[in-house]
Amino acid sequence: MRYVVDETSWDLDDLEEPDLVRTINEILDLVDDAIVQGHGCCCSQELFGQPVKNGFSFYQLLGGEGGISIPRELVERHAAIFNSMPIWEELGPPPPADYDASIDGGVQEFACSICWAHAKNLLSRRCDVAVISHAHRRSPGLKMVQVLGLDVGIWFATCVADTELYFRYLISNMSSNRREMEALSSFAFRRLGFVDGCFAGIGNMEGGYTDLVGPIVTHLSVFSDYGADVFANPNDQVSTRFGSLGVTVSNENGNTRANNEAARARTIPVNGVDREFWWHSKLEPHRNRIHICPEDARSGGKILVGIFARHLPT
């Protein structure tokens, strides 16, 4: 189970319409995104009965109590998402050691789902379970959560961008080989596509995986977050714009393009069509390259990552 919904972020007392309705929709957007991405998501039975607005539970608000007008489509959307969502109380061990937690050094508060995530991450010694919260109650990112004196790191996501950062964190800090990186990369870099088998090339790069993983994540993050915008500019501006983002990127020169061996090394069939990967970023000045094809991004698609290599023939 990858995510758990934080019922404490459904404390809506300080919100009035339409902010209350917008907030509920934003929480559902994040839950829905997690499900669409194929990640397990659960919640606590406490989510449905605890007061969330003027002493009324969320179900009471949906039923028309509390003087809040909840749109019918929101009621139906909530039902569609949560009627089939697992309750973590029914998922088995480990149970929370307690139901009060201190988050980032704050005061102890009743937060049973956060405590459940604490128990899961304590057992795995990894950040396997993240918490879906809302920004009006929680700030995003990695936080130390203390339950009964034990500190455990838990990632808090308040928007889709936070979930990408979560998977980047897992790659950078929890993965131990290129296969684990490959398994997480489609979630960490959503605006990139990856050629099948390309991550095997990391094994041919110079340096160990622990030395390479940080720079690779940095370069892929820049490509994913800014690449489409950068490649919307003329080619002669691309290197400068990437340089301002801290990544060295260049296109191959005419001599390399005229070299048949070099051209073959940079051409890969993708879905039956040969794609050329002339553009590349440089992890270091004279070694370790990531070759990309930006053409699809220029028409609303994804930048395609095709080759990880120490150095290709020129």
Side-chain angles (χ1 to χ4, degrees):
M1 195 62 60
R2 178 64 73 181
Y3 290 105
V4 63
V5 179
D6 171 22
E7 68 283 338
T8 66
S9 32
W10 296 64
D11 178 358
L12 309 174
D13 266 335
D14 58 338
L15 299 177
E16 301 297 338
E17 297 181 73
D19 289 339
L20 182 145
V21 171
R22 176 183 53 79
T23 296
I24 295 170
N25 266 313
E26 289 173 347
I27 295 172
L28 296 183
D29 285 343
L30 192 51
V31 174
D32 198 40
D33 178 78
I35 294 171
V36 168
Q37 290 289 308
H39 304 304
C41 188
C42 64
C43 63
S44 171
Q45 59 192 11
E46 293 287 335
L47 177 67
F48 309 109
Q50 73 170 17
V52 297
K53 177 68 176 176
N54 299 333
F56 292 94
S57 71
F58 193 68
Y59 272 166
Q60 288 174 310
L61 293 183
L62 293 179
E65 300 181 54
I68 303 295
S69 177
I70 306 293
R72 182 64 189 173
E73 60 269 20
L74 180 53
V75 176
E76 293 174 351
R77 185 184 184 204
H78 177 273
I81 291 175
F82 284 99
N83 282 354
S84 59
M85 185 178 292
I87 304 299
W88 61 254
E89 286 91 340
E90 300 173 355
L91 292 178
D98 196 39
Y99 292 94
D100 292 326
S102 169
I103 298 147
D104 248 11
V107 298
Q108 290 278 322
E109 57 179 293
F110 179 80
C112 60
S113 292
I114 294 173
C115 289
W116 180 78
H118 179 282
K120 297 289 284 186
N121 289 353
L122 179 64
L123 179 65
S124 69
R125 299 189 180 278
R126 298 165 64 94
C127 199
D128 287 341
V129 176
V131 172
I132 290 177
S133 294
H134 192 273
H136 89 279
R137 178 66 191 270
R138 305 282 182 202
S139 58
L142 183 70
K143 302 184 181 302
M144 296 309 297
V145 175
Q146 186 178 94
V147 177
L148 295 181
L150 295 174
D151 287 321
V152 172
I154 298 176
W155 191 275
F156 286 76
T158 64
C159 65
V160 170
D162 297 336
T163 67
E164 284 191 274
L165 294 176
Y166 168 51
F167 284 101
R168 293 175 193 180
Y169 169 79
L170 292 179
I171 294 171
S172 297
N173 296 277
M174 303 291 173
S175 70
S176 57
N177 55 63
R178 57 180 172 80
R179 286 171 292 277
E180 293 180 357
M181 177 189 287
E182 181 177 9
L184 298 173
S185 285
S186 62
F187 309 121
F189 314 105
R190 294 201 192 183
R191 286 160 293 282
L192 302 181
F194 296 93
V195 172
D196 289 345
C198 70
F199 287 91
I202 294 174
N204 299 320
M205 286 177 149
E206 193 166 334
Y209 180 80
T210 55
D211 297 319
L212 293 169
V213 61
I216 289 174
V217 168
T218 295
H219 283 230
L220 294 180
S221 297
V222 170
F223 284 147
S224 184
D225 295 344
Y226 305 104
D229 290 338
V230 171
F231 280 109
N233 293 279
N235 281 352
D236 60 2
Q237 298 180 19
V238 168
S239 294
T240 299
R241 290 179 179 270
F242 274 122
S244 69
L245 297 168
V247 173
T248 301
V249 175
S250 63
N251 200 356
E252 298 293 8
N253 60 35
N255 291 335
T256 299
R257 287 172 175 265
N259 182 318
N260 289 336
E261 180 187 2
R264 284 193 298 271
R266 291 161 176 80
T267 303
I268 303 173
V270 181
N271 297 324
V273 178
D274 282 348
R275 308 301 301 270
E276 296 176 330
F277 294 83
W278 297 111
W279 287 96
H280 58 280
S281 66
K282 304 175 181 180
L283 273 62
E284 298 180 45
H286 303 297
R287 64 177 186 174
N288 296 337
R289 307 287 193 256
I290 303 173
H291 286 257
I292 62 172
C293 177
E295 300 310 314
D296 293 346
R298 286 169 165 154
S299 57
K302 296 181 177 183
I303 291 174
L304 192 59
V305 178
I307 303 166
F308 295 87
R310 182 186 181 279
H311 206 292
L312 294 181
T314 59

